[in-house]
Amino acid sequence: MAVISAIVVAAAGWLAFGGAGNLPGLPAVAKTPVADSSSAAFSICGGGRHVNCVVDGDTFWFEGEKIRIADIDTPELSPPRCEAERIKGEAAKARLLALLNGGNFSLTAGWRDEDKYGRKLRTVTRSGHSIGDTLIDEGLARRWDGARHGWCG
């Protein structure tokens, strides 16, 4: 039984790290992207019930669940540490709202399901492209490196 378990684990690792590229027919199955199937009409979160709304540039509620975008960090809004951070944070929030309302998307869990605040950690993609990368490319976010860094210069 231990030998079979070791073989299964080794095969899974091999497939996960690209080993399937040498097997005819398998790459098409293993690498077929899942269609973006999530969507909602998002608004800016206010008082009351949070269902489908944007909190800030990297946090939103979707179907009643609080989601933290796992691959980015955006300026803080509660509270901002300076006026420049507030301005950029508001811009990131507005852009995330537009991106989420821009069509179907997918949510993918990483190696951690939740952060210490109980938010679901998810990468948000549309057509295989990270929405977080879009915010980074537009100067409204940074790649998340595990630590918060100031936005006040």
Coordinates of all heavy atoms in Angstrom, one line a residue, residues 31-38 71 103-108 123-134 137 143:
K31 N -4.5 20.6 -19.5 CA -4.3 22.0 -19.6 C -5.5 22.8 -20.1 O -5.4 24.0 -20.4 CB -3.1 22.3 -20.4 CG -1.8 21.7 -19.8 CD -0.6 22.1 -20.6 CE 0.6 21.5 -20.0 NZ 1.8 21.7 -20.7
T32 N -6.6 22.1 -20.4 CA -7.8 22.8 -20.9 C -8.3 23.8 -19.8 O -8.6 23.4 -18.7 CB -8.9 21.8 -21.2 OG1 -8.4 20.9 -22.2 CG2 -10.2 22.6 -21.7
P33 N -8.4 25.1 -20.1 CA -8.8 26.0 -19.0 C -10.3 25.9 -18.8 O -11.1 25.5 -19.7 CB -8.5 27.4 -19.7 CG -8.4 27.2 -21.1 CD -8.0 25.7 -21.3
V34 N -10.7 26.1 -17.5 CA -12.1 26.1 -17.1 C -12.7 27.4 -17.6 O -12.1 28.4 -17.5 CB -12.2 25.9 -15.6 CG1 -13.6 26.0 -15.2 CG2 -11.5 24.6 -15.2
A35 N -13.9 27.3 -18.2 CA -14.6 28.5 -18.6 C -14.9 29.4 -17.4 O -15.2 28.9 -16.4 CB -15.8 28.1 -19.4
D36 N -14.8 30.7 -17.7 CA -15.1 31.7 -16.6 C -16.6 31.6 -16.4 O -17.4 31.8 -17.3 CB -14.7 33.1 -17.1 CG -13.3 33.2 -17.2 OD1 -12.5 32.5 -16.5 OD2 -12.9 34.1 -18.1
S37 N -17.1 31.2 -15.2 CA -18.5 30.9 -15.0 C -19.1 31.8 -13.9 O -20.3 31.7 -13.7 CB -18.7 29.5 -14.7 OG -18.0 29.1 -13.6
S38 N -18.3 32.6 -13.3 CA -18.8 33.5 -12.2 C -19.1 34.9 -12.7 O -18.3 35.4 -13.5 CB -17.8 33.6 -11.0 OG -17.6 32.3 -10.5
D71 N -3.2 37.6 -5.1 CA -1.9 37.9 -5.8 C -1.5 39.4 -5.8 O -0.5 39.7 -6.4 CB -1.9 37.3 -7.2 CG -3.0 37.8 -8.1 OD1 -4.0 38.4 -7.6 OD2 -2.9 37.7 -9.3
G103 N -17.6 41.3 -17.0 CA -17.9 40.0 -17.6 C -17.6 38.8 -16.7 O -17.3 39.0 -15.5
N104 N -17.8 37.6 -17.2 CA -17.6 36.4 -16.4 C -16.1 36.3 -15.9 O -15.2 36.8 -16.7 CB -18.0 35.2 -17.1 CG -19.5 35.0 -17.3 OD1 -20.2 35.9 -16.8 ND2 -19.9 34.0 -18.0
F105 N -15.9 35.7 -14.8 CA -14.6 35.6 -14.2 C -14.5 34.2 -13.5 O -15.5 33.6 -13.3 CB -14.2 36.7 -13.3 CG -15.1 36.9 -12.1 CD1 -15.0 36.2 -10.9 CD2 -16.2 37.8 -12.3 CE1 -15.9 36.4 -9.9 CE2 -17.1 38.0 -11.2 CZ -16.9 37.3 -10.0
S106 N -13.3 33.9 -13.1 CA -13.0 32.6 -12.3 C -12.3 33.0 -11.1 O -11.5 33.9 -11.0 CB -12.2 31.6 -13.1 OG -12.9 31.2 -14.3
L107 N -12.6 32.2 -10.0 CA -11.9 32.4 -8.7 C -11.1 31.1 -8.5 O -11.7 30.0 -8.6 CB -12.9 32.6 -7.6 CG -13.8 33.8 -7.7 CD1 -14.8 33.8 -6.6 CD2 -12.9 35.1 -7.5
T108 N -9.9 31.2 -8.2 CA -9.0 30.1 -7.9 C -8.4 30.2 -6.6 O -7.7 31.2 -6.3 CB -7.9 30.0 -9.0 OG1 -8.5 30.0 -10.3 CG2 -7.1 28.7 -8.9
T123 N -7.4 34.0 -6.5 CA -6.9 34.7 -7.6 C -8.1 34.8 -8.6 O -8.8 33.9 -8.8 CB -5.8 33.9 -8.3 OG1 -4.7 33.7 -7.4 CG2 -5.3 34.7 -9.6
V124 N -8.3 36.0 -9.1 CA -9.4 36.3 -9.9 C -8.9 36.4 -11.4 O -8.0 37.2 -11.6 CB -10.1 37.6 -9.5 CG1 -11.4 37.8 -10.4 CG2 -10.5 37.6 -8.0
T125 N -9.5 35.6 -12.3 CA -9.0 35.7 -13.7 C -10.2 35.8 -14.6 O -11.3 35.4 -14.3 CB -8.2 34.4 -14.0 OG1 -9.1 33.2 -13.8 CG2 -6.9 34.3 -13.2
R126 N -9.9 36.3 -15.8 CA -10.8 36.4 -16.9 C -10.1 35.9 -18.1 O -9.0 36.5 -18.4 CB -11.4 37.8 -17.1 CG -12.3 37.9 -18.3 CD -13.0 39.2 -18.4 NE -14.0 39.3 -17.3 CZ -13.9 40.3 -16.4 NH1 -13.0 41.2 -16.4 NH2 -14.8 40.4 -15.4
S127 N -10.6 34.9 -18.8 CA -9.9 34.4 -20.0 C -8.4 34.0 -19.7 O -7.6 34.2 -20.5 CB -10.0 35.4 -21.1 OG -11.3 35.7 -21.4
G128 N -8.2 33.5 -18.5 CA -6.8 33.1 -18.1 C -5.9 34.2 -17.7 O -4.8 33.9 -17.4
H129 N -6.4 35.4 -17.7 CA -5.5 36.5 -17.3 C -5.9 37.1 -15.9 O -7.1 37.3 -15.6 CB -5.6 37.7 -18.3 CG -4.8 38.9 -18.0 ND1 -3.4 38.9 -18.2 CD2 -5.1 40.1 -17.5 CE1 -2.9 40.0 -17.8 NE2 -3.9 40.8 -17.4
S130 N -5.0 37.3 -15.0 CA -5.2 37.7 -13.7 C -5.7 39.2 -13.7 O -5.1 40.1 -14.2 CB -4.0 37.6 -12.8 OG -4.1 38.3 -11.6
I131 N -6.9 39.4 -13.0 CA -7.4 40.8 -12.8 C -6.4 41.5 -11.9 O -6.2 42.7 -12.1 CB -8.8 40.7 -12.2 CG1 -9.8 40.4 -13.3 CG2 -9.2 42.1 -11.6 CD1 -11.2 40.2 -12.9
G132 N -5.7 40.8 -11.0 CA -4.7 41.5 -10.2 C -3.5 42.0 -11.1 O -3.0 43.1 -10.8
D133 N -3.1 41.3 -12.1 CA -2.1 41.7 -13.0 C -2.5 43.0 -13.7 O -1.7 43.9 -14.0 CB -1.7 40.7 -14.0 CG -0.9 39.6 -13.4 OD1 -0.3 39.7 -12.3 OD2 -0.7 38.5 -14.1
T134 N -3.8 43.1 -14.1 CA -4.3 44.3 -14.7 C -4.2 45.5 -13.8 O -3.7 46.6 -14.2 CB -5.8 44.1 -15.1 OG1 -5.9 43.0 -16.0 CG2 -6.4 45.4 -15.7
D137 N -0.5 46.4 -13.7 CA -0.1 47.0 -14.9 C -0.5 48.5 -15.0 O 0.1 49.3 -15.6 CB -0.6 46.3 -16.1 CG 0.0 44.9 -16.3 OD1 1.1 44.6 -15.7 OD2 -0.6 44.1 -17.1
R143 N 2.4 43.4 -6.6 CA 2.4 42.0 -6.4 C 2.4 41.7 -4.9 O 3.2 42.4 -4.2 CB 3.6 41.4 -7.1 CG 3.7 39.9 -6.9 CD 3.3 39.0 -8.0 NE 3.2 39.6 -9.3 CZ 2.0 39.5 -10.0 NH1 0.9 39.0 -9.5 NH2 2.0 40.0 -11.2

